[in-house]
């Protein structure tokens, strides 16, 4: 549950000068929303979990802590920048150790996938952009039959034969993968 926009949150306005001094431009270097606003690189995915019962964000609680985390501002910044934010609002969770321990495994898998290129985490809903790359363009052969080479076993315990085969478009629940060396 990050404080997404600390330069505009009451907590950040109090804490940032203590850590970084009074230069508000320097504060923006530590503010996710401000960094996203000026980002010009390739698209990527961000995973954020936020508890709906977090007293630092909940609009139901009229306190000095209200609207400190600002996930809505993060969502808008990501939308404007074309960054794929997977913001999961976790019903009934607050800002506690239990919240963190409930979802940390997803975040570890997500980061492992991003760093290694090996998919270890999948978003809740598909289709979705890759966890570790920009969204894929549909191939020129989408929805069409293709011809390719395949290693085929015509008899048990005999060598495989390389033959040309025709492969129809994937049906529901199937995928067709292009492998290049």
């Amino acid at each position: 549950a990050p404080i997404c926009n600390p330069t505009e949150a009451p907590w950040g306005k109090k804490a940032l000068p203590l850590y970084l001094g009074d230069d508000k431009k320097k504060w923006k270097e530590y503010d996710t929303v401000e960094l996203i606003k000026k980002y010009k690189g390739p698209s990527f995915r961000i995973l954020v979990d936020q508890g709906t019962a977090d007293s630092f964000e909940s609009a139901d609680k009229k306190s000095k802590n209200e609207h400190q985390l600002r996930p809505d501002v993060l969502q808008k910044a990501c939308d404007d920048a074309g960054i794929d934010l997977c913001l999961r609002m976790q019903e009934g969770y607050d800002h506690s150790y239990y919240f963190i321990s409930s979802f940390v495994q997803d975040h570890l898998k997500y980061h492992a996938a991003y760093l290694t290129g090996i998919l270890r985490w999948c978003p809740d809903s598909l289709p979705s952009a890759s966890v570790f790359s920009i969204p894929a363009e549909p191939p020129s052969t989408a929805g069409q039959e293709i011809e390719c080479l395949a290693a085929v076993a015509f008899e048990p315990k005999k060598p495989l034969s390389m033959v040309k085969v025709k492969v129809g478009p994937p049906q529901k629940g199937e995928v067709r993968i292009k492998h290049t060396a």
Side-chain angles (χ1 to χ4, degrees):
I3 298 173
C4 302
N5 190 205
T7 59
E8 297 300 323
W11 177 91
K13 289 177 180 180
K14 182 179 178 181
L16 290 171
L18 299 174
Y19 289 101
L20 303 170
D22 293 327
D23 182 359
K24 292 183 180 181
K25 287 182 182 175
K26 188 153 182 85
W27 300 1
K28 290 182 178 187
E29 296 173 24
Y30 296 87
D31 184 311
T32 305
V33 169
E34 295 299 328
L35 292 170
I36 287 171
K37 284 179 182 178
K38 68 179 191 179
Y39 180 74
K40 302 295 181 218
S43 183
F44 60 94
R45 165 178 242 119
I46 300 173
L47 173 62
V48 173
D49 282 293
Q50 170 70 55
T52 61
D54 193 319
S55 64
F56 289 95
E57 183 57 28
S58 176
D60 295 339
K61 299 188 184 331
K62 301 295 180 201
S63 74
K64 65 180 181 179
N65 291 331
E66 182 182 342
H67 205 55
Q68 296 270 359
L69 306 179
R70 305 174 63 84
D72 54 321
V73 178
L74 176 63
Q75 182 70 67
K76 182 176 182 335
C78 288
D79 291 346
D80 291 348
I83 293 173
D84 191 9
L85 172 64
C86 183
L87 175 60
R88 303 188 305 181
M89 299 303 291
Q90 303 294 354
E91 189 66 37
Y93 282 88
D94 60 10
H95 201 86
S96 67
Y97 170 80
Y98 180 70
F99 167 73
I100 294 166
S101 66
S102 296
F103 303 104
V104 71
Q105 186 173 359
D106 284 350
H107 290 264
L108 294 173
K109 288 178 181 178
Y110 165 81
H111 288 289
Y114 192 86
L115 292 171
T116 65
I118 299 170
L119 186 60
R120 299 176 191 277
W121 176 84
C122 188
D124 295 333
S125 61
L126 294 172
S128 174
S130 168
V131 176
F132 45 81
S133 70
I134 61 173
E137 292 292 322
S140 61
T141 58
Q144 301 174 18
E145 183 178 86
I146 62 169
E147 192 173 274
C148 60
L149 286 176
V152 179
F154 287 103
E155 297 179 48
K157 299 183 182 182
K158 297 287 181 181
L160 298 175
S161 300
M162 294 301 291
V163 296
K164 274 190 176 178
V165 296
K166 289 185 178 181
V167 180
Q171 302 301 305
K172 186 175 181 172
E174 298 178 335
V175 294
R176 187 165 64 190
I177 299 171
K178 180 179 180 179
H179 176 75
T180 58

